[in-house]
Amino acid sequence: MESWDETTNCCSWDGVECDKESGHVIGLDLSCSWLYGTIHPNSSLFSLPHLQSLNLAFNFFNYFPISSAFSRFTGLTHLNLSDSGLSGKISSKISLLSKLTSLDLSWNYNLRLKNPGFQLLVQNLTKLRELHLDNVNISSVIPSSMLNLTSLSSLHLAHCGLQGKFHDDIFHLPNLKELRLAGNSNLTGHLPKLNSSSPLEYLSLGSTSFSGELPNSIGNLKSLNRLYVYNCKFSGSIPASLEKLKNLTSLSLSNNNFEGSTLDVFPNLRNLAYLSLGGNNFSDPLLLLLANLTQLVLLSVSSTQVAGPLPSQTSVITNSRAILTNSSPIH
């Protein structure tokens, strides 16, 4: 904003986008702008009725609530208030922004969105493609109306205090590419039969109470490149179909009850850069496990039953540039 010159047309200012025909301000990106204080309902911000995109992320608004005046932006399609020092209960009037396709309120640790607010949000914002609420205090079950968000491509609900059983059919939303549920320890569920038509690329269930076995149909997720199921309650053997996930670059299975051999699976995942196996009951020699993983840069085998000595710096580890660690990074 330091570059803004009031003697010039505001449409030329950094972060300001105007409609080429009408001249109305339709986009405002003030992210990372060192803004602070309170956004009052009488702020000149709310005198921009034609606004379609608003980004105020990575500022600090003194732990004040989100003003109900945001509901005046009836044409808004993109709203990003992530990591901006907001707190309090999220106004139900946000759910009136029916044209929203992207809503990001994540990383505001003191924001609350408990039912019926969460239910209203999901029920009314049916055009959403991106819903990011990581670290927002929801502390409720996921409403069944989530299944109506058929345009959803990115759903981030990590560390939200979610409870109850996760709806299997959310995995089958036709456009869902990213699903992040990590850190919801009271959220239960299992992986259902997965369709080959799924576009899922990123799946994070770490530190939840998901249980059961990894289904053989997981091999149908041909677009999957990151899979994190650490600190859950999964068990059984690793399905051989996992080797079909040729795009997989990151895989964390640590701290579950997996067992048996992995030699039919992992050596064929040649694009793996990160692999975490700790806290399971695998029984394979580590040298054989790593032989073909030439892209590996980080390996965690803490407290795992992987047989054989650890490779020295002059053997497999040198070839694959892997670093052995005693802990599993959290995603």
Side-chain angles (χ1 to χ4, degrees):
M1 293 176 64
E2 291 181 351
S3 65
W4 287 9
D5 182 355
E6 293 187 15
T7 65
T8 62
N9 188 328
C10 70
C11 295
S12 65
W13 297 353
D14 289 342
V16 177
E17 180 186 1
C18 294
D19 184 273
K20 293 181 180 179
E21 295 183 2
S22 66
H24 294 142
V25 175
I26 58 173
L28 193 59
D29 184 352
L30 298 179
S31 59
C32 306
S33 293
W34 295 83
L35 299 178
Y36 61 92
T38 309
I39 306 178
H40 292 285
N42 60 355
S43 168
S44 58
L45 173 67
F46 300 113
S47 62
L48 300 173
H50 303 283
L51 209 58
Q52 298 174 17
S53 178
L54 176 61
N55 188 347
L56 298 176
F58 304 107
N59 290 291
F60 183 70
F61 297 120
N62 269 5
Y63 299 116
F64 276 85
I66 300 175
S67 172
S68 60
F70 277 90
S71 62
R72 299 177 194 171
F73 296 128
T74 55
L76 209 60
T77 60
H78 292 73
L79 177 60
N80 189 344
L81 301 175
S82 63
D83 204 355
S84 52
L86 293 164
S87 69
K89 183 180 179 181
I90 297 174
S91 172
S92 60
K93 290 188 176 181
I94 294 296
S95 65
L96 300 177
L97 302 177
S98 59
K99 293 184 179 180
L100 277 180
T101 61
S102 179
L103 176 63
D104 191 344
L105 304 177
S106 58
W107 300 99
N108 287 291
Y109 297 93
N110 296 297
L111 273 183
R112 303 190 306 275
L113 183 62
K114 300 183 179 182
N115 279 335
F118 187 33
Q119 184 173 349
L120 285 173
L121 195 75
V122 172
Q123 180 177 310
N124 294 342
L125 305 185
T126 56
K127 295 182 180 180
L128 280 176
R129 293 196 296 266
E130 298 174 343
L131 178 59
H132 295 178
L133 299 174
D134 291 342
N135 292 94
V136 173
N137 183 359
I138 297 177
S139 299
S140 66
V141 299
I142 296 179
S144 57
S145 51
M146 184 76 73
L147 300 175
N148 296 326
L149 303 184
T150 54
S151 296
L152 204 61
S153 64
S154 181
L155 178 60
H156 295 185
L157 295 173
H159 302 279
C160 290
L162 296 175
Q163 305 166 3
K165 188 177 185 300
F166 189 74
H167 296 281
D168 290 354
D169 287 341
I170 292 179
F171 287 102
H172 299 143
L173 288 174
N175 296 294
L176 192 62
K177 293 183 178 180
E178 292 190 9
L179 178 59
R180 305 189 188 194
L181 301 172
N184 292 293
S185 59
N186 293 321
L187 183 66
T188 63
H190 66 278
L191 285 176
K193 184 176 181 180
L194 300 163
N195 299 328
S196 58
S197 60
S198 171
L200 203 59
E201 298 175 358
Y202 191 119
L203 177 59
S204 176
L205 305 176
S207 296
T208 65
S209 291
F210 270 70
S211 60
E213 298 185 356
L214 295 183
N216 194 56
S217 59
I218 199 169
N220 289 332
L221 301 180
K222 299 298 176 55
S223 299
L224 197 67
N225 55 62
R226 283 172 285 184
L227 175 61
Y228 304 113
V229 294
Y230 55 87
N231 298 343
C232 294
K233 298 179 180 180
F234 287 107
S235 59
S237 59
I238 302 301
S241 63
L242 195 71
E243 71 167 342
K244 297 179 181 179
L245 305 183
K246 303 301 183 183
N247 292 316
L248 208 59
T249 60
S250 295
L251 175 62
S252 178
L253 304 174
S254 57
N255 299 320
N256 284 283
N257 293 301
F258 293 120
E259 59 186 6
S261 175
T262 61
L263 289 181
D264 291 335
V265 180
F266 293 160
N268 297 313
L269 299 176
R270 301 191 179 190
N271 287 316
L272 276 181
Y274 166 59
L275 176 62
S276 177
L277 302 176
N280 289 292
N281 294 296
F282 297 128
S283 56
D284 303 315
L286 193 59
L287 281 170
L288 292 177
L289 182 65
L290 296 178
N292 294 328
L293 301 183
T294 58
Q295 301 301 312
L296 204 64
V297 294
L298 183 61
L299 169 68
S300 174
V301 290
S302 59
S303 303
T304 193
Q305 298 296 320
V306 177
L310 297 179
S312 69
Q313 290 290 350
T314 58
S315 60
V316 175
I317 292 300
T318 301
N319 293 332
S320 64
R321 307 184 307 283
I323 300 173
L324 289 167
T325 177
N326 290 320
S327 60
S328 176
I330 301 300
H331 298 268

